[in-house]
Amino acid sequence: MRRPALLLFILVSTFLLSYIYLQEIFNLDKLKEHITFLKTWVNEEVYISRISFFTLYVIFSGLSFPFVPTILTIAAGALFGVIEGVIIVSFASTVGACICFLLSRYLLRDFINNKFEKTKVIIDNKFSKNGIYYLLSLRLI
């Protein structure tokens, strides 16, 4: 019973942090305000700026913060240029998605299995019959 309560606390905290505090920090108006300072910092601190941005992007995409990765994606293009920004964002979003997958698989697995036991059996049966079509449609969606 402790795991769902801990999970609920983490989800609510993440949501509140994102909507109350991070919305004021990570928005396009703030990016436009500080773009010259950020570009100067990126040009002076070549490695630190890229590693910091990569880490920040992995954290926000891995914890599935709403809208923050979108702002960071735009910021990557503005700060690092299109090619370098795409490379940084692609790798960071992939690592973040892997972290999100691992958290959901190992932290949420028991909770989901217990909560949706009947539905899980139905989905498993359908998936064993038509698995390739489910995967194809999920990939296309």
Side-chain angles (χ1 to χ4, degrees):
M1 190 65 186
R2 290 181 64 209
R3 267 189 160 169
L6 175 67
L7 177 66
L8 184 63
F9 174 74
I10 290 172
L11 290 175
V12 169
S13 300
T14 303
F15 179 77
L16 290 174
L17 178 71
S18 176
Y19 272 159
I20 294 172
Y21 294 110
L22 295 179
Q23 193 173 19
E24 295 174 9
I25 298 170
F26 292 106
N27 61 32
L28 291 177
D29 294 331
K30 291 288 184 180
L31 179 63
K32 283 192 253 180
E33 251 178 61
H34 302 293
I35 193 72
T36 55
F37 167 75
L38 290 171
K39 280 187 176 182
T40 305
W41 181 68
V42 164
N43 290 333
E44 289 176 0
E45 302 291 338
V46 175
Y47 297 114
I48 293 174
S49 64
R50 281 139 180 90
I51 291 170
S52 300
F53 187 87
F54 184 88
T55 306
L56 195 67
Y57 200 99
V58 166
I59 290 169
F60 287 127
S61 66
L63 295 177
S64 297
F65 278 87
F67 303 116
V68 176
T70 305
I71 302 298
L72 289 176
T73 302
I74 294 169
L79 294 174
F80 305 116
V82 175
I83 303 296
E84 189 176 0
V86 165
I87 291 169
I88 292 172
V89 166
S90 295
F91 282 106
S93 63
T94 302
V95 171
C98 290
I99 289 172
C100 186
F101 166 75
L102 292 173
L103 286 175
S104 64
R105 179 172 179 152
Y106 293 111
L107 188 63
L108 296 175
R109 184 177 193 162
D110 295 333
F111 174 72
I112 296 296
N113 284 340
N114 293 336
K115 183 90 171 160
F116 302 106
E117 190 171 343
K118 293 177 185 175
T119 309
K120 183 182 173 284
V121 171
I122 294 170
I123 290 173
D124 284 343
N125 289 337
K126 297 284 185 179
F127 199 84
S128 65
K129 292 177 188 173
N130 301 317
I132 190 72
Y133 298 114
Y134 285 118
L135 287 176
L136 180 64
S137 64
L138 282 173
R139 181 65 185 148
L140 291 175
I141 289 172

